Amino acid sequence: MSAQRPIAIVTGGAAGIGWEIGRRLAADGHLVVAADRVPGLTAGENPAGIVWRELDVTDHAVVDRVFGEIEAELGPIAVLVNNAGIQRHRGIEDLTWDEWAAVVDVNLHGVFSALQAAGRRMLERGDGVIVNISSISARGSAGRAPYATTKAAVIGLTATAGAEWAARGVRVNAVAPGYIDTGVFRQGVDAGTLSLDTILSRIPAQRLGQASEIADAVSFLASDRSRYMNGQTLYVDGGFMVDYGVPLAKRPE
Ligand code: NDP
């Protein structure tokens, strides 16, 4: 199958934010490959114009092989969005090694594997864009040590790859979402691990973000409109990261 449209791979593209990113990039004119570990998905176009590809990003060799197959079948990878991510909620002293390693495997090793596998191919052509998904949790997040650590590492990897490849036609940037109203977020609220009222009180915009708002930022970074941006992390968080003030009982009107 050959494609006229530029190829965009979105890891973890079967659900939540990744799904919205895929829809947005498809609307922008990309042929989107939603690469996700969700079992049972097979190649074939769905109504949204997104091609499914089963992929577990934790296996470095498999990621490289699958990206090679995608290029052989569909064409050169123009855009990679490293979106797949997981988290585990537990205090550092109680974390098991398996919990720590599982998050590092997906959120850091998975991001590196896909970045390297796509980046090498893009460098050969001197053309390509990579967008990594970090998080506001990168600055530290009690009860989520592996998540916060890996999301901070993604910012470092983004800056480094952005600097290494800037003169060679490959741009690497990141989006750090704030609290986004996804199914996973709602599950956290329902399970009592997240307090919606507390979270809202700390967001200057006083609302949760929408997955489509993250997709808008990814669309910008994936496009030529951001052509002079390299290695940056764009916070899309309703002002969460810039408000270090004393929590007010009531915000100024
Ligand atoms: P979801 O869990 O809804 O979606 C993530 C997708 O990634 C799922 O389909 C998941 O599959 C898949 N995935 C998990 N592990 C792997 C793997 N090893 N290989 C391939 N795919 C995998 O998460 P969100 O949409 O909420 O989050 C998307 C990204 O945004 C993540 O990186 C997250 O850390 C980040 N983020 C999210 C925020 C939020 O408020 N939701 C805030 C800040 C950042 P499965 O269902 O099988 O696990």
Side-chain angles (χ1 to χ4, degrees):
M1 180 180 175
S2 65
Q4 301 301 315
R5 290 175 283 169
I7 306 302
I9 298 176
V10 182
T11 68
I17 294 171
W19 173 247
E20 278 303 319
I21 292 171
R23 275 165 37 97
R24 178 59 201 259
L25 293 180
D28 288 347
H30 291 88
L31 176 59
V32 174
V33 181
D36 205 302
R37 68 179 176 185
V38 175
L41 291 173
T42 52
E45 264 182 296
N46 70 14
I50 297 172
V51 175
W52 297 105
R53 182 67 58 133
E54 192 169 335
L55 176 69
D56 183 339
V57 296
T58 61
D59 191 323
H60 184 261
V62 168
V63 171
D64 188 54
R65 176 173 56 73
V66 169
F67 281 16
E69 290 169 2
I70 289 170
E71 290 220 330
E73 290 170 31
L74 301 174
I77 301 165
V79 174
L80 165 70
V81 183
N82 265 313
N83 166 80
I86 63 170
Q87 53 180 300
R88 298 286 182 269
H89 291 259
R90 208 182 296 282
I92 292 171
E93 69 275 26
D94 296 322
L95 263 179
T96 67
W97 176 256
D98 285 350
E99 288 169 331
W100 169 267
V103 178
V104 173
D105 261 359
V106 178
N107 296 11
L108 183 55
H109 295 161
V111 169
F112 176 79
S113 294
L115 177 134
Q116 188 186 55
R120 282 174 171 162
R121 292 175 167 88
M122 292 171 175
L123 288 168
E124 277 178 20
R125 297 185 286 272
D127 191 27
V129 179
I130 297 174
V131 183
N132 299 321
I133 304 299
S134 178
S135 168
I136 51 170
S137 299
R139 83 172 182 200
S141 182
R144 299 197 293 173
Y147 188 75
T149 304
T150 53
K151 291 300 184 180
V154 164
I155 293 174
L157 179 61
T158 299
T160 304
E164 284 191 15
W165 297 345
R168 297 161 67 193
V170 179
R171 291 192 305 110
V172 184
N173 290 291
V175 172
Y179 289 99
I180 308 302
D181 196 0
T182 59
V184 171
F185 178 86
R186 290 284 164 183
Q187 282 167 21
V189 172
D190 293 345
T193 47
L194 298 172
S195 162
L196 185 57
D197 287 345
T198 306
I199 287 169
L200 288 177
S201 75
R202 294 176 60 193
I203 302 173
Q206 297 185 316
R207 67 170 177 86
L208 300 174
Q210 299 299 315
S212 61
E213 292 171 319
I214 303 308
D216 284 341
V218 172
S219 166
F220 167 67
L221 290 176
S223 79
D224 202 42
R225 285 170 290 151
S226 59
R227 59 191 169 278
Y228 199 52
M229 290 182 68
N230 304 83
Q232 295 297 310
T233 295
L234 196 56
Y235 288 87
V236 182
D237 63 357
F240 183 90
M241 288 291 279
V242 294
D243 191 0
Y244 288 93
V246 176
L248 300 173
K250 188 174 186 305
R251 287 181 181 273
E253 296 296 333

